[in-house]
Every structure is written in C-alpha cells, then in structure tokens.
Amino acid sequence: MKIPDKRCWAEVSPENLLHNYHVLRSSLPGGCRFLGVVKADAYGHGALETARLLEKAGADYLAVACLDEALELREGGVTMPVLILGHTDARYTALLIGNDITQAVTGLKEAEAFSAAAQSFGGTLRVHMAADTGMSRLGFLCTGAELERGAAQLARACRLPGLDAEGIFTHFAVSDEPGEENERYTREQFRLFTEAIARVEAAGFRFRLRHCANSGAVLHCLPETALDMVRPGLLLYGYGDDAGKLGLRPCMRLKTRVLTVKTYGPGTTVSYGRRYTTARETRMGVLGIGYADGLPRLCSNHFSVAFPGGTAPQRGSICMDMCMVDLSDLPDVQPGDEAEIFGPGADLNVLSRAAQTIPYELLCSVSKRVPRVWKNFD
Ligand SMILES: *Cc1c(COP(=O)(O)O)cnc(C)c1O
C-alpha cells in the first residue's frame, strides 16, 4: 500500500536532469560523445528512470559499476550502449555478449580470459581497455617506467580473438580538486594516457572511443581531455562545488515532514547522549528523517534544514528514524509542514562538509526506504 503522507522522500526532477544533460552536451567540442554515468542507482536518483531519460535525450553511452547494474538496465528495456566500468569475471562473458554489454578490461590476464571465453562459443565481446595512469586502481599500468610495458600489453590485448576493443579509457584521481599540484597531476595522467594510445596506434590499432573526462575534468576546463567522449557523473546530477557556476541544477531534493512540535524550557537536553541543551525556551520540531534514511549521524548539531520561511538548525543526535530541529524562529511552521534536507533550497555541499564527506557519498546514501518521486520541482 502507498501512504500518501510520507515521512521522508526524494523528489527527482526529470526537467533538471535533461537541463543538465543539454548544458553539458552543448559545452562539448563538436563530434564529442556523451556517456552518462548511472552507477550506484544513478548516484541514488534511480538508474532505470535516469537511463531512460538519457536514452530518449540522445546520450551516446551509459556506464555502470557492475554486471547486476547493467542487467537491470537491459531488463528495464534500455537498449543503448552500456559500459561496465568495474571488474567482471570472465565466466560471465556469455551473459555480457548476450545482453550486448560493453566490458572494461583491466589487464592482460583478464583480456586473455575474456578472449578465451568468447572464442569458446564463437562470440565477440565488445570491450574498453582500462589504462591506469595514476589512479592506482583498475587497468593496464601505464605510469612511469611501466608505460612501455603497459602500452605493449594493451596492443596485445586489443588484437586478441573474440574481443572487439572499441574503446580505451583512464580515470583521473584529482581532476575535481583545486590547486596547481592537482592540475599538474591530471595533466600528467592525460599525457600518459595519450602516450599509451599513441604507442598502441603506432602498432597499427585504432580505438574508436578514447575517453577520460569525468566531472572534474569537464568542470575544470580541460577541454583537450574530451577526446571522443566525456564521462560525467556528479555534474549530470547538478552537484559538486562549481555545478551552479555552470548553470547546472540539482536533480534531487530530499524532503521530510514535521511530525510533532513541543516547547521546552531552557536547560532541557535533547536526544540520545544528551548532546544538545536548550539555551532558552525552545520550540522544537521532530522531523521524520534519520540516519536509516541516509542522513549521517556525524552531522548531528552541525546543519540546518530549509523551510519556505527560513532555515532551522538541527539539534541533538540524529536518531535512526527522526531528528529534532529548533523552530523557535519559525513560529508558523506546524506539524505536517515539509522541510528540505538538501536540494535547490539547501546546499548539499554544506551538508557534506558537516558530515565530513563528499556529495557523492550523501547522494548514494539515501537509503532504499526513501521513495524516489520523479516530478519537476515547483
Ligand atoms: C564514477 C566514475 C566516473 C564519474 O565520475 P564523476 O566524478 O561523478 O564525474 C567516471 N569514470 C569512472 C571510471 C568512474 O568510476
């Protein structure tokens, strides 16, 4: 049964998602393709709905983290190209080919395993080679003294039977962090990437899709990194420190409701651990959102929620299903009224700092108890 008066919910705006897609798309060099990253349930927004919108809008590619996420899209009727960025065991090669899923290849051994599996039943697996240029995670190692060997292995992997090496990609470690040193590191990663590609091409192989630009690279004006395709996630959803400057809009608005209101005298302690004491007579509201919904307990006492008439500071430890806010300065707020935790009216970056984390983590943390409601913001 659907309860109409939800205690908390996440509104997701299709209008803002499409707006962001078109803004990002129009900033790309001519001919550059657009891959939308929809891993982790589209950063908590809902992968299937997001994928369907991007498909209709004309995006070229989608990316997910793992096979289950790719299959969810296929089972939901998404037919556009889908790339798995993470590791998949070669025993699933038939499933990949059967569902027309593109797989990242993270090293020569993995390439050989996919090749053997594909050949064993006469199929061809479409792959993108992952080059590790300084992230030190997945991919053929192409840093420093390893560049020559990495490029040679890439060239070998590309020619393996049963593989169609459509693309090659690398991932930046600090493209989203400001400062000269970070920019230098990103440029060096990009140099290693293009150098590795040049060596593979010198050996007579050409990739159709070379890509490396995540949100950070798109944002920090590294246009040469666009190559054949860009690969933004966070920016597509309108989040990150500088998203607003680009005219991007947040796609998710996390909302809750005032359950009850009570007035306490000064010196009253609030919630578990008694970590807040009222300094004055205080009109305290109880909100229907807690850490089990994805509101981190770490930001207890360190953030405010937004009401139409102003903001209310959160007080005391955040509980599993509820938390308290000081409504003394908002006398008109009554039980049943809606509050915004983050979204267009409450900056997710501020909440992230209060929780000592990054917007990515808070978006992904909105739990499955919280219904996603796809509707344009009013
Ligand atoms: C998550 C991810 C992205 C998107 O990163 P954003 O910072 O959200 O733009 C791009 N590429 C890879 C390999 C990723 O894992």
Side-chain angles (χ1 to χ4, degrees):
M1 196 177 90
K2 287 241 157 113
I3 312 291
D5 277 1
K6 300 180 197 323
R7 45 182 282 289
C8 75
W9 65 100
E11 293 170 1
V12 186
S13 164
E15 183 179 45
N16 287 4
L17 183 74
L18 291 175
H19 168 85
N20 294 345
Y21 167 72
H22 289 298
V23 168
L24 291 170
R25 177 116 226 178
S26 65
S27 73
L28 299 180
C32 181
R33 316 227 186 154
F34 187 100
L35 176 152
V37 179
V38 298
K39 65 190 178 190
D41 204 22
Y43 293 41
H45 294 68
L48 203 47
E49 293 84 347
T50 303
R52 284 174 179 158
L53 277 170
L54 291 175
E55 182 164 50
K56 246 172 87 187
D60 302 289
Y61 235 108
L62 298 173
V64 294
C66 57
L67 182 55
D68 288 307
E69 292 183 344
L71 291 175
E72 183 198 353
L73 298 182
R74 286 290 180 254
E75 279 154 21
V78 173
T79 58
M80 65 188 288
V82 174
L83 167 65
I84 297 179
L85 295 164
H87 174 80
T88 302
D89 193 279
R91 76 167 78 99
Y92 299 110
T93 304
L95 204 52
L96 290 167
I97 296 174
N99 284 280
D100 196 24
I101 295 165
T102 309
Q103 174 60 47
V105 172
T106 56
L108 187 55
K109 272 204 176 66
E110 289 80 1
E112 287 165 349
F114 282 127
S115 166
Q119 283 179 85
S120 72
F121 53 87
T124 301
L125 178 64
R126 196 184 317 107
V127 296
H128 286 202
M129 299 296 170
D132 182 352
T133 57
M135 176 70 180
S136 306
R137 196 171 64 177
L138 299 177
F140 293 76
L141 191 53
C142 293
T143 51
E146 308 295 327
L147 175 61
E148 192 166 333
R149 191 166 59 144
Q153 290 188 344
L154 278 166
R156 262 175 72 193
C158 289
R159 295 187 178 284
L160 288 171
L163 299 186
D164 169 21
E166 174 186 59
I168 183 166
F169 71 104
T170 195
H171 195 44
F172 294 132
V174 287
S175 63
D176 58 343
E177 296 189 32
E180 246 171 64
E181 170 61 17
N182 291 326
E183 198 182 310
R184 197 195 55 74
Y185 195 84
T186 304
R187 287 195 189 284
E188 176 60 9
Q189 280 198 263
F190 185 63
R191 189 190 69 78
L192 290 165
F193 184 51
T194 49
E195 181 61 33
I197 293 170
R199 291 182 189 211
V200 177
E201 291 192 340
F205 188 89
R206 281 196 89 77
F207 295 103
R208 280 110 75 200
L209 293 175
R210 304 159 299 158
H211 52 105
C212 57
N214 56 358
S215 290
V218 172
L219 193 63
H220 289 121
C221 312
L222 300 164
E224 72 274 25
T225 66
L227 297 175
D228 302 315
M229 185 158 78
V230 296
R231 218 171 57 223
L234 194 69
L235 278 186
L236 182 57
Y237 304 104
Y239 284 103
D241 272 332
D242 293 322
K245 279 188 211 153
L246 292 187
L248 303 172
R249 303 179 188 146
C251 292
M252 188 192 285
R253 176 155 73 178
L254 182 60
K255 296 191 83 174
T256 183
R257 203 180 282 289
V258 178
L259 306 177
T260 66
V261 178
K262 262 191 288 174
T263 300
Y264 303 106
T268 307
T269 63
V270 177
S271 193
Y272 289 120
R274 307 178 67 201
R275 291 194 184 89
Y276 182 78
T277 306
T278 56
R280 53 173 182 175
E281 186 175 281
T282 301
R283 201 170 161 262
M284 199 71 86
V286 180
L287 297 181
I289 189 168
Y291 60 76
D293 302 296
L295 184 63
R297 195 171 161 280
L298 202 57
C299 57
S300 299
N301 279 319
H302 291 299
F303 77 104
S304 295
V305 305
F307 287 93
T311 61
Q314 191 276 322
R315 301 300 194 201
S317 295
I318 293 167
C319 310
M320 188 182 288
D321 317 303
M322 289 173 267
C323 65
M324 278 60 95
V325 288
D326 187 340
L327 297 175
S328 304
D329 297 333
L330 298 171
D332 294 338
V333 172
Q334 299 299 331
D337 284 1
E338 298 179 1
E340 184 171 326
I341 303 295
F342 66 75
D347 191 346
L348 178 62
N349 293 313
V350 172
L351 186 66
S352 304
R353 284 191 282 273
Q356 295 172 42
T357 184
I358 51 176
Y360 297 82
E361 189 178 359
L362 292 192
L363 289 170
C364 298
S365 302
V366 175
S367 74
K368 82 168 192 265
R369 180 164 82 175
V370 180
R372 272 59 168 182
V373 183
W374 283 78
K375 62 170 230 181
N376 292 334
F377 300 154
D378 34 54

